């Protein structure tokens, strides 16, 4: 059975997370869920993942084009590799589930998240 992508989360670097949140909360009519990971401040608001922090810490987050939510992370990674993707970061636990990062054959880098 082909991999199913349940949703796509747009990533946006902001200079000031506190200043940016009211716009995105109003736009989506949702309250932001905030967390920190590897020195980066993040907020999930509807289909957006906002992030800010020092340049060195943010580079890992900024290199990823989007986050793809999948129901079966292991199967998604396996299928992606079989189709020509390369693993940039193998599956590992994070504050918002498990994640892996893949480089697609045409250059895009995507974070896959799943349970």
């Amino acid at each position: 059975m082909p991999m199913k992508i349940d949703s796509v989360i747009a990533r946006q670097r902001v200079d000031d997370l506190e200043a940016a949140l009211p716009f995105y909360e109003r736009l989506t009519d949702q309250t932001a869920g905030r967390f920190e990971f590897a020195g980066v401040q993040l907020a999930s608001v509807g289909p957006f993942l906002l992030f800010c922090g020092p340049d060195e810490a943010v580079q890992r987050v900024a290199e990823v084009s989007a986050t793809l939510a999948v129901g079966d992370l292991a199967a998604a990674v396996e299928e992606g590799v079989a189709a020509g993707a390369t693993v940039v970061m193998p599956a590992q636990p994070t504050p918002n589930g498990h994640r892996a990062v893949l480089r697609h054959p045409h250059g895009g880098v995507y974070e896959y998240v799943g349970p």
Side-chain angles (χ1 to χ4, degrees), residues 8-88:
V8 177
I9 301 163
R11 292 166 160 250
Q12 177 65 52
R13 182 177 186 178
V14 296
D15 292 329
D16 183 339
L17 191 59
E18 295 304 316
L21 285 177
F23 171 81
Y24 288 93
E25 288 179 330
R26 185 172 182 181
L27 182 68
T28 63
D29 196 27
Q30 295 184 12
T31 301
R34 301 175 195 203
F35 57 100
E36 183 176 334
F37 182 70
V40 179
Q41 297 295 316
L42 302 107
S44 175
V45 189
F48 299 98
L49 179 65
L50 309 176
F51 59 94
C52 71
D55 283 340
E56 290 177 16
V58 170
Q59 289 307 321
R60 290 185 310 273
V61 177
E63 291 174 351
V64 175
S65 299
T67 298
L68 310 175
V70 297
D72 185 336
L73 182 59
V77 170
E78 183 179 315
E79 189 167 325
V81 169
T86 56
V87 175
V88 174

